[in-house]
Amino acid sequence: MKKLILLLLWLPALRGHAQPAGGQSAPEAVFADGEYLEYAISYKVSLVNTDVAGVTFRTAQGRRGDRDVYTVDALGKVYPFYRWFFDLNDSYVSTLDAGTLRPLELKAELREGKYRYSSRYEYDWDEGVVRTTFRNHKNPDSSRRQMPLREGSFDALALFFNLRCADLSELERNGSGTMDLVLEDTIRTIRYRLMGRENKNIRGTGKFRTLKFRCQLATSSGESFEDGSEFTIWISDDRNRIPLYIESPIRVGSIRGRLIEWKNLKYPLDSKMN
């Protein structure tokens, strides 16, 4: 369950390479104040396909000190019927500079059964480092890590909202590439390949024109893709560039996520065919 929730946070980054800072102007934000996206998470094995959880994203524009910022709240929850089996309530809050779309801070609180985990990322772009603090309920003492940043190395939520603003033309020319994902104590590589355009039926939502990507996340050592996560994602082929459907295999069956509700998009969802 946690794996697919994280994948939903990571994968909008597969739209291309953005260069939001480092002397270049930021891409125009394709999301708006008040945007809301909701996904249903399902588990499929054999002929059984059951919705077990939901993930929501809410975006707000505001101020932080002397900066204009976007604040993004992401929340993943198991549906009530399944909480007896596995209770999950994960919250992520990201703050992005509205002018550059660079992340300033990410806070995460994970509550999964009796397990508790909290983390915080603080970005220092002047020094070119990210400082992370993380701890769980078994070890109340915080662990700390400082890692060097490369331009475009962002956490999951920052990738989600930053790179959906990227210019697609470069990706269409190259067909594949890599990007960096900042985690608590490491930076891992995602490798992706554009499979082409596809008309995709999404259960309960409709038929869409999409861009289809196949992706791999490197192992924790960052040296190999052989035992890392694999996943496929379908993205709306319109100016919003939002994830519509995602699928990732597990040892038995697969986990999937699909868009079920959206509000206050900046642009019409022109990719929807019916």
Side-chain angles (χ1 to χ4, degrees), residues 6-40:
L6 287 174
L7 289 177
L8 272 171
L9 298 178
W10 296 340
L11 291 178
L14 305 174
R15 300 170 179 126
H17 289 291
Q19 298 293 336
Q24 301 186 29
S25 59
E28 180 185 359
V30 301
F31 47 87
D33 182 24
E35 181 185 81
Y36 173 86
L37 303 173
E38 182 176 351
Y39 296 85

PDB file of all heavy atoms in Angstrom, residues 6-40:
ATOM      1  N   LEU A   6       3.446   6.201  -2.491  1.00  0.00           N
ATOM      2  CA  LEU A   6       4.672   6.907  -2.830  1.00  0.00           C
ATOM      3  C   LEU A   6       4.831   7.040  -4.331  1.00  0.00           C
ATOM      4  O   LEU A   6       5.267   8.074  -4.832  1.00  0.00           O
ATOM      5  CB  LEU A   6       5.881   6.175  -2.228  1.00  0.00           C
ATOM      6  CG  LEU A   6       6.034   6.304  -0.720  1.00  0.00           C
ATOM      7  CD1 LEU A   6       7.172   5.421  -0.234  1.00  0.00           C
ATOM      8  CD2 LEU A   6       6.271   7.744  -0.309  1.00  0.00           C
ATOM      9  N   LEU A   7       4.470   6.015  -5.087  1.00  0.00           N
ATOM     10  CA  LEU A   7       4.577   6.097  -6.540  1.00  0.00           C
ATOM     11  C   LEU A   7       3.693   7.205  -7.087  1.00  0.00           C
ATOM     12  O   LEU A   7       4.085   7.939  -7.997  1.00  0.00           O
ATOM     13  CB  LEU A   7       4.204   4.766  -7.185  1.00  0.00           C
ATOM     14  CG  LEU A   7       5.201   3.623  -7.008  1.00  0.00           C
ATOM     15  CD1 LEU A   7       4.652   2.357  -7.650  1.00  0.00           C
ATOM     16  CD2 LEU A   7       6.554   3.964  -7.596  1.00  0.00           C
ATOM     17  N   LEU A   8       2.494   7.368  -6.544  1.00  0.00           N
ATOM     18  CA  LEU A   8       1.631   8.445  -6.990  1.00  0.00           C
ATOM     19  C   LEU A   8       2.271   9.801  -6.726  1.00  0.00           C
ATOM     20  O   LEU A   8       2.060  10.758  -7.453  1.00  0.00           O
ATOM     21  CB  LEU A   8       0.274   8.365  -6.288  1.00  0.00           C
ATOM     22  CG  LEU A   8      -0.775   7.495  -6.973  1.00  0.00           C
ATOM     23  CD1 LEU A   8      -1.984   7.326  -6.076  1.00  0.00           C
ATOM     24  CD2 LEU A   8      -1.182   8.071  -8.311  1.00  0.00           C
ATOM     25  N   LEU A   9       3.054   9.898  -5.662  1.00  0.00           N
ATOM     26  CA  LEU A   9       3.745  11.142  -5.375  1.00  0.00           C
ATOM     27  C   LEU A   9       4.926  11.362  -6.315  1.00  0.00           C
ATOM     28  O   LEU A   9       5.248  12.488  -6.665  1.00  0.00           O
ATOM     29  CB  LEU A   9       4.249  11.143  -3.921  1.00  0.00           C
ATOM     30  CG  LEU A   9       3.175  11.058  -2.842  1.00  0.00           C
ATOM     31  CD1 LEU A   9       3.823  11.015  -1.464  1.00  0.00           C
ATOM     32  CD2 LEU A   9       2.231  12.243  -2.926  1.00  0.00           C
ATOM     33  N   TRP A  10       5.592  10.272  -6.715  1.00  0.00           N
ATOM     34  CA  TRP A  10       6.788  10.413  -7.538  1.00  0.00           C
ATOM     35  C   TRP A  10       6.499  10.664  -9.007  1.00  0.00           C
ATOM     36  O   TRP A  10       7.179  11.429  -9.656  1.00  0.00           O
ATOM     37  CB  TRP A  10       7.632   9.129  -7.477  1.00  0.00           C
ATOM     38  CG  TRP A  10       8.160   8.829  -6.131  1.00  0.00           C
ATOM     39  CD1 TRP A  10       8.314   9.679  -5.085  1.00  0.00           C
ATOM     40  CD2 TRP A  10       8.606   7.548  -5.680  1.00  0.00           C
ATOM     41  NE1 TRP A  10       8.817   9.003  -4.007  1.00  0.00           N
ATOM     42  CE2 TRP A  10       9.003   7.700  -4.342  1.00  0.00           C
ATOM     43  CE3 TRP A  10       8.706   6.297  -6.287  1.00  0.00           C
ATOM     44  CZ2 TRP A  10       9.507   6.642  -3.599  1.00  0.00           C
ATOM     45  CZ3 TRP A  10       9.198   5.252  -5.549  1.00  0.00           C
ATOM     46  CH2 TRP A  10       9.592   5.420  -4.226  1.00  0.00           C
ATOM     47  N   LEU A  11       5.502  10.000  -9.553  1.00  0.00           N
ATOM     48  CA  LEU A  11       5.511   9.756 -10.985  1.00  0.00           C
ATOM     49  C   LEU A  11       5.141  10.891 -11.910  1.00  0.00           C
ATOM     50  O   LEU A  11       5.476  10.828 -13.078  1.00  0.00           O
ATOM     51  CB  LEU A  11       4.634   8.544 -11.288  1.00  0.00           C
ATOM     52  CG  LEU A  11       5.294   7.291 -10.748  1.00  0.00           C
ATOM     53  CD1 LEU A  11       4.413   6.089 -11.000  1.00  0.00           C
ATOM     54  CD2 LEU A  11       6.648   7.078 -11.382  1.00  0.00           C
ATOM     55  N   PRO A  12       4.473  11.951 -11.491  1.00  0.00           N
ATOM     56  CA  PRO A  12       4.263  13.025 -12.433  1.00  0.00           C
ATOM     57  C   PRO A  12       5.574  13.629 -12.931  1.00  0.00           C
ATOM     58  O   PRO A  12       5.598  14.360 -13.900  1.00  0.00           O
ATOM     59  CB  PRO A  12       3.460  14.057 -11.635  1.00  0.00           C
ATOM     60  CG  PRO A  12       2.721  13.225 -10.672  1.00  0.00           C
ATOM     61  CD  PRO A  12       3.712  12.145 -10.265  1.00  0.00           C
ATOM     62  N   ALA A  13       6.667  13.330 -12.258  1.00  0.00           N
ATOM     63  CA  ALA A  13       7.966  13.807 -12.711  1.00  0.00           C
ATOM     64  C   ALA A  13       8.385  13.209 -14.037  1.00  0.00           C
ATOM     65  O   ALA A  13       9.351  13.654 -14.638  1.00  0.00           O
ATOM     66  CB  ALA A  13       9.015  13.454 -11.659  1.00  0.00           C
ATOM     67  N   LEU A  14       7.673  12.239 -14.533  1.00  0.00           N
ATOM     68  CA  LEU A  14       8.084  11.563 -15.753  1.00  0.00           C
ATOM     69  C   LEU A  14       7.656  12.304 -17.011  1.00  0.00           C
ATOM     70  O   LEU A  14       7.659  11.752 -18.079  1.00  0.00           O
ATOM     71  CB  LEU A  14       7.508  10.147 -15.770  1.00  0.00           C
ATOM     72  CG  LEU A  14       7.893   9.356 -14.539  1.00  0.00           C
ATOM     73  CD1 LEU A  14       7.181   8.018 -14.538  1.00  0.00           C
ATOM     74  CD2 LEU A  14       9.386   9.165 -14.477  1.00  0.00           C
ATOM     75  N   ARG A  15       7.340  13.561 -16.894  1.00  0.00           N
ATOM     76  CA  ARG A  15       6.880  14.304 -18.051  1.00  0.00           C
ATOM     77  C   ARG A  15       8.020  14.991 -18.784  1.00  0.00           C
ATOM     78  O   ARG A  15       7.816  15.603 -19.798  1.00  0.00           O
ATOM     79  CB  ARG A  15       5.863  15.351 -17.612  1.00  0.00           C
ATOM     80  CG  ARG A  15       4.684  14.694 -16.961  1.00  0.00           C
ATOM     81  CD  ARG A  15       3.815  15.718 -16.307  1.00  0.00           C
ATOM     82  NE  ARG A  15       2.691  15.010 -15.717  1.00  0.00           N
ATOM     83  CZ  ARG A  15       2.356  15.123 -14.464  1.00  0.00           C
ATOM     84  NH1 ARG A  15       3.017  15.889 -13.669  1.00  0.00           N
ATOM     85  NH2 ARG A  15       1.342  14.456 -13.999  1.00  0.00           N
ATOM     86  N   GLY A  16       9.200  14.968 -18.249  1.00  0.00           N
ATOM     87  CA  GLY A  16      10.296  15.640 -18.937  1.00  0.00           C
ATOM     88  C   GLY A  16      11.208  16.298 -17.930  1.00  0.00           C
ATOM     89  O   GLY A  16      10.951  16.272 -16.742  1.00  0.00           O
ATOM     90  N   HIS A  17      12.274  16.916 -18.386  1.00  0.00           N
ATOM     91  CA  HIS A  17      13.221  17.572 -17.504  1.00  0.00           C
ATOM     92  C   HIS A  17      12.869  19.046 -17.386  1.00  0.00           C
ATOM     93  O   HIS A  17      12.871  19.762 -18.365  1.00  0.00           O
ATOM     94  CB  HIS A  17      14.643  17.447 -18.061  1.00  0.00           C
ATOM     95  CG  HIS A  17      15.176  16.060 -17.952  1.00  0.00           C
ATOM     96  ND1 HIS A  17      15.490  15.475 -16.756  1.00  0.00           N
ATOM     97  CD2 HIS A  17      15.433  15.124 -18.896  1.00  0.00           C
ATOM     98  CE1 HIS A  17      15.959  14.243 -16.972  1.00  0.00           C
ATOM     99  NE2 HIS A  17      15.915  14.017 -18.252  1.00  0.00           N
ATOM    100  N   ALA A  18      12.606  19.503 -16.167  1.00  0.00           N
ATOM    101  CA  ALA A  18      12.391  20.926 -15.936  1.00  0.00           C
ATOM    102  C   ALA A  18      13.677  21.560 -15.457  1.00  0.00           C
ATOM    103  O   ALA A  18      14.501  20.929 -14.812  1.00  0.00           O
ATOM    104  CB  ALA A  18      11.293  21.124 -14.874  1.00  0.00           C
ATOM    105  N   GLN A  19      13.849  22.823 -15.756  1.00  0.00           N
ATOM    106  CA  GLN A  19      14.977  23.597 -15.270  1.00  0.00           C
ATOM    107  C   GLN A  19      14.426  24.850 -14.611  1.00  0.00           C
ATOM    108  O   GLN A  19      14.452  25.938 -15.171  1.00  0.00           O
ATOM    109  CB  GLN A  19      15.915  23.966 -16.432  1.00  0.00           C
ATOM    110  CG  GLN A  19      16.526  22.767 -17.131  1.00  0.00           C
ATOM    111  CD  GLN A  19      17.497  22.013 -16.249  1.00  0.00           C
ATOM    112  OE1 GLN A  19      18.050  22.572 -15.316  1.00  0.00           O
ATOM    113  NE2 GLN A  19      17.704  20.749 -16.546  1.00  0.00           N
ATOM    114  N   PRO A  20      13.889  24.717 -13.377  1.00  0.00           N
ATOM    115  CA  PRO A  20      13.165  25.817 -12.791  1.00  0.00           C
ATOM    116  C   PRO A  20      14.037  26.890 -12.178  1.00  0.00           C
ATOM    117  O   PRO A  20      13.524  27.893 -11.725  1.00  0.00           O
ATOM    118  CB  PRO A  20      12.325  25.137 -11.704  1.00  0.00           C
ATOM    119  CG  PRO A  20      13.141  23.971 -11.299  1.00  0.00           C
ATOM    120  CD  PRO A  20      13.847  23.510 -12.551  1.00  0.00           C
ATOM    121  N   ALA A  21      15.348  26.669 -12.084  1.00  0.00           N
ATOM    122  CA  ALA A  21      16.177  27.648 -11.405  1.00  0.00           C
ATOM    123  C   ALA A  21      17.569  27.577 -11.978  1.00  0.00           C
ATOM    124  O   ALA A  21      17.793  27.071 -13.055  1.00  0.00           O
ATOM    125  CB  ALA A  21      16.170  27.387  -9.893  1.00  0.00           C
ATOM    126  N   GLY A  22      18.537  28.093 -11.193  1.00  0.00           N
ATOM    127  CA  GLY A  22      19.905  28.049 -11.654  1.00  0.00           C
ATOM    128  C   GLY A  22      20.152  29.018 -12.785  1.00  0.00           C
ATOM    129  O   GLY A  22      20.865  28.733 -13.740  1.00  0.00           O
ATOM    130  N   GLY A  23      19.540  30.230 -12.687  1.00  0.00           N
ATOM    131  CA  GLY A  23      19.782  31.237 -13.695  1.00  0.00           C
ATOM    132  C   GLY A  23      18.767  31.218 -14.821  1.00  0.00           C
ATOM    133  O   GLY A  23      18.768  32.100 -15.659  1.00  0.00           O
ATOM    134  N   GLN A  24      17.894  30.241 -14.885  1.00  0.00           N
ATOM    135  CA  GLN A  24      16.880  30.180 -15.914  1.00  0.00           C
ATOM    136  C   GLN A  24      15.528  30.491 -15.315  1.00  0.00           C
ATOM    137  O   GLN A  24      15.294  30.297 -14.135  1.00  0.00           O
ATOM    138  CB  GLN A  24      16.850  28.795 -16.570  1.00  0.00           C
ATOM    139  CG  GLN A  24      18.167  28.406 -17.203  1.00  0.00           C
ATOM    140  CD  GLN A  24      18.034  27.100 -17.952  1.00  0.00           C
ATOM    141  OE1 GLN A  24      16.987  26.764 -18.449  1.00  0.00           O
ATOM    142  NE2 GLN A  24      19.124  26.371 -18.036  1.00  0.00           N
ATOM    143  N   SER A  25      14.620  31.012 -16.151  1.00  0.00           N
ATOM    144  CA  SER A  25      13.293  31.327 -15.657  1.00  0.00           C
ATOM    145  C   SER A  25      12.528  30.038 -15.389  1.00  0.00           C
ATOM    146  O   SER A  25      12.715  29.033 -16.057  1.00  0.00           O
ATOM    147  CB  SER A  25      12.550  32.178 -16.682  1.00  0.00           C
ATOM    148  OG  SER A  25      12.437  31.495 -17.907  1.00  0.00           O
ATOM    149  N   ALA A  26      11.650  30.104 -14.388  1.00  0.00           N
ATOM    150  CA  ALA A  26      10.860  28.930 -14.035  1.00  0.00           C
ATOM    151  C   ALA A  26       9.794  28.695 -15.082  1.00  0.00           C
ATOM    152  O   ALA A  26       9.286  29.634 -15.699  1.00  0.00           O
ATOM    153  CB  ALA A  26      10.215  29.132 -12.666  1.00  0.00           C
ATOM    154  N   PRO A  27       9.407  27.433 -15.306  1.00  0.00           N
ATOM    155  CA  PRO A  27       8.280  27.176 -16.199  1.00  0.00           C
ATOM    156  C   PRO A  27       7.000  27.699 -15.578  1.00  0.00           C
ATOM    157  O   PRO A  27       6.878  27.824 -14.367  1.00  0.00           O
ATOM    158  CB  PRO A  27       8.265  25.654 -16.304  1.00  0.00           C
ATOM    159  CG  PRO A  27       8.918  25.182 -15.046  1.00  0.00           C
ATOM    160  CD  PRO A  27       9.965  26.210 -14.717  1.00  0.00           C
ATOM    161  N   GLU A  28       6.035  28.033 -16.405  1.00  0.00           N
ATOM    162  CA  GLU A  28       4.752  28.496 -15.898  1.00  0.00           C
ATOM    163  C   GLU A  28       4.043  27.351 -15.179  1.00  0.00           C
ATOM    164  O   GLU A  28       3.970  26.237 -15.683  1.00  0.00           O
ATOM    165  CB  GLU A  28       3.875  28.990 -17.052  1.00  0.00           C
ATOM    166  CG  GLU A  28       2.516  29.485 -16.590  1.00  0.00           C
ATOM    167  CD  GLU A  28       1.619  29.857 -17.743  1.00  0.00           C
ATOM    168  OE1 GLU A  28       2.088  29.747 -18.900  1.00  0.00           O
ATOM    169  OE2 GLU A  28       0.462  30.239 -17.492  1.00  0.00           O
ATOM    170  N   ALA A  29       3.526  27.640 -13.994  1.00  0.00           N
ATOM    171  CA  ALA A  29       2.821  26.618 -13.221  1.00  0.00           C
ATOM    172  C   ALA A  29       1.552  26.214 -13.962  1.00  0.00           C
ATOM    173  O   ALA A  29       0.766  27.066 -14.382  1.00  0.00           O
ATOM    174  CB  ALA A  29       2.479  27.139 -11.831  1.00  0.00           C
ATOM    175  N   VAL A  30       1.349  24.911 -14.126  1.00  0.00           N
ATOM    176  CA  VAL A  30       0.132  24.416 -14.778  1.00  0.00           C
ATOM    177  C   VAL A  30      -0.922  24.032 -13.747  1.00  0.00           C
ATOM    178  O   VAL A  30      -1.981  23.547 -14.101  1.00  0.00           O
ATOM    179  CB  VAL A  30       0.445  23.210 -15.699  1.00  0.00           C
ATOM    180  CG1 VAL A  30       1.439  23.594 -16.762  1.00  0.00           C
ATOM    181  CG2 VAL A  30       0.937  22.017 -14.888  1.00  0.00           C
ATOM    182  N   PHE A  31      -0.619  24.238 -12.463  1.00  0.00           N
ATOM    183  CA  PHE A  31      -1.590  23.998 -11.412  1.00  0.00           C
ATOM    184  C   PHE A  31      -2.027  25.335 -10.830  1.00  0.00           C
ATOM    185  O   PHE A  31      -1.336  26.347 -10.967  1.00  0.00           O
ATOM    186  CB  PHE A  31      -1.017  23.094 -10.318  1.00  0.00           C
ATOM    187  CG  PHE A  31       0.348  23.490  -9.850  1.00  0.00           C
ATOM    188  CD1 PHE A  31       0.519  24.415  -8.835  1.00  0.00           C
ATOM    189  CD2 PHE A  31       1.478  22.933 -10.428  1.00  0.00           C
ATOM    190  CE1 PHE A  31       1.779  24.788  -8.395  1.00  0.00           C
ATOM    191  CE2 PHE A  31       2.752  23.289  -9.996  1.00  0.00           C
ATOM    192  CZ  PHE A  31       2.898  24.221  -8.984  1.00  0.00           C
ATOM    193  N   ALA A  32      -3.179  25.355 -10.188  1.00  0.00           N
ATOM    194  CA  ALA A  32      -3.766  26.596  -9.698  1.00  0.00           C
ATOM    195  C   ALA A  32      -4.070  26.500  -8.217  1.00  0.00           C
ATOM    196  O   ALA A  32      -4.137  25.405  -7.640  1.00  0.00           O
ATOM    197  CB  ALA A  32      -5.056  26.900 -10.474  1.00  0.00           C
ATOM    198  N   ASP A  33      -4.237  27.666  -7.600  1.00  0.00           N
ATOM    199  CA  ASP A  33      -4.670  27.732  -6.209  1.00  0.00           C
ATOM    200  C   ASP A  33      -5.999  26.999  -6.073  1.00  0.00           C
ATOM    201  O   ASP A  33      -6.956  27.267  -6.798  1.00  0.00           O
ATOM    202  CB  ASP A  33      -4.826  29.203  -5.821  1.00  0.00           C
ATOM    203  CG  ASP A  33      -5.235  29.397  -4.368  1.00  0.00           C
ATOM    204  OD1 ASP A  33      -4.973  28.497  -3.549  1.00  0.00           O
ATOM    205  OD2 ASP A  33      -5.803  30.461  -4.056  1.00  0.00           O
ATOM    206  N   GLY A  34      -6.061  26.026  -5.164  1.00  0.00           N
ATOM    207  CA  GLY A  34      -7.289  25.286  -4.935  1.00  0.00           C
ATOM    208  C   GLY A  34      -7.419  24.003  -5.725  1.00  0.00           C
ATOM    209  O   GLY A  34      -8.443  23.304  -5.600  1.00  0.00           O
ATOM    210  N   GLU A  35      -6.399  23.635  -6.504  1.00  0.00           N
ATOM    211  CA  GLU A  35      -6.488  22.384  -7.267  1.00  0.00           C
ATOM    212  C   GLU A  35      -6.630  21.197  -6.321  1.00  0.00           C
ATOM    213  O   GLU A  35      -5.975  21.115  -5.288  1.00  0.00           O
ATOM    214  CB  GLU A  35      -5.236  22.200  -8.120  1.00  0.00           C
ATOM    215  CG  GLU A  35      -5.280  20.939  -8.961  1.00  0.00           C
ATOM    216  CD  GLU A  35      -3.981  20.692  -9.711  1.00  0.00           C
ATOM    217  OE1 GLU A  35      -3.024  20.165  -9.080  1.00  0.00           O
ATOM    218  OE2 GLU A  35      -3.901  21.024 -10.903  1.00  0.00           O
ATOM    219  N   TYR A  36      -7.498  20.246  -6.717  1.00  0.00           N
ATOM    220  CA  TYR A  36      -7.759  19.055  -5.906  1.00  0.00           C
ATOM    221  C   TYR A  36      -7.760  17.833  -6.813  1.00  0.00           C
ATOM    222  O   TYR A  36      -8.433  17.811  -7.856  1.00  0.00           O
ATOM    223  CB  TYR A  36      -9.118  19.190  -5.208  1.00  0.00           C
ATOM    224  CG  TYR A  36      -9.573  17.952  -4.480  1.00  0.00           C
ATOM    225  CD1 TYR A  36      -9.177  17.708  -3.176  1.00  0.00           C
ATOM    226  CD2 TYR A  36     -10.427  17.026  -5.088  1.00  0.00           C
ATOM    227  CE1 TYR A  36      -9.603  16.574  -2.484  1.00  0.00           C
ATOM    228  CE2 TYR A  36     -10.860  15.892  -4.410  1.00  0.00           C
ATOM    229  CZ  TYR A  36     -10.440  15.678  -3.113  1.00  0.00           C
ATOM    230  OH  TYR A  36     -10.859  14.558  -2.441  1.00  0.00           O
ATOM    231  N   LEU A  37      -6.979  16.814  -6.442  1.00  0.00           N
ATOM    232  CA  LEU A  37      -6.912  15.555  -7.169  1.00  0.00           C
ATOM    233  C   LEU A  37      -7.143  14.415  -6.183  1.00  0.00           C
ATOM    234  O   LEU A  37      -6.571  14.415  -5.093  1.00  0.00           O
ATOM    235  CB  LEU A  37      -5.552  15.365  -7.842  1.00  0.00           C
ATOM    236  CG  LEU A  37      -5.085  16.456  -8.813  1.00  0.00           C
ATOM    237  CD1 LEU A  37      -3.655  16.198  -9.250  1.00  0.00           C
ATOM    238  CD2 LEU A  37      -6.011  16.549 -10.010  1.00  0.00           C
ATOM    239  N   GLU A  38      -7.962  13.441  -6.580  1.00  0.00           N
ATOM    240  CA  GLU A  38      -8.234  12.294  -5.706  1.00  0.00           C
ATOM    241  C   GLU A  38      -8.072  10.999  -6.500  1.00  0.00           C
ATOM    242  O   GLU A  38      -8.542  10.890  -7.638  1.00  0.00           O
ATOM    243  CB  GLU A  38      -9.642  12.360  -5.129  1.00  0.00           C
ATOM    244  CG  GLU A  38      -9.964  11.209  -4.182  1.00  0.00           C
ATOM    245  CD  GLU A  38     -11.326  11.326  -3.524  1.00  0.00           C
ATOM    246  OE1 GLU A  38     -11.974  12.395  -3.670  1.00  0.00           O
ATOM    247  OE2 GLU A  38     -11.760  10.348  -2.879  1.00  0.00           O
ATOM    248  N   TYR A  39      -7.408  10.017  -5.878  1.00  0.00           N
ATOM    249  CA  TYR A  39      -7.128   8.734  -6.508  1.00  0.00           C
ATOM    250  C   TYR A  39      -7.651   7.599  -5.631  1.00  0.00           C
ATOM    251  O   TYR A  39      -7.583   7.664  -4.402  1.00  0.00           O
ATOM    252  CB  TYR A  39      -5.617   8.545  -6.705  1.00  0.00           C
ATOM    253  CG  TYR A  39      -5.011   9.558  -7.646  1.00  0.00           C
ATOM    254  CD1 TYR A  39      -4.614  10.808  -7.183  1.00  0.00           C
ATOM    255  CD2 TYR A  39      -4.842   9.273  -8.992  1.00  0.00           C
ATOM    256  CE1 TYR A  39      -4.073  11.754  -8.036  1.00  0.00           C
ATOM    257  CE2 TYR A  39      -4.290  10.205  -9.860  1.00  0.00           C
ATOM    258  CZ  TYR A  39      -3.913  11.446  -9.377  1.00  0.00           C
ATOM    259  OH  TYR A  39      -3.376  12.379 -10.226  1.00  0.00           O
ATOM    260  N   ALA A  40      -8.152   6.562  -6.293  1.00  0.00           N
ATOM    261  CA  ALA A  40      -8.498   5.313  -5.614  1.00  0.00           C
ATOM    262  C   ALA A  40      -7.359   4.326  -5.822  1.00  0.00           C
ATOM    263  O   ALA A  40      -6.846   4.173  -6.939  1.00  0.00           O
ATOM    264  CB  ALA A  40      -9.791   4.742  -6.160  1.00  0.00           C
TER     265      ALA A  40
END
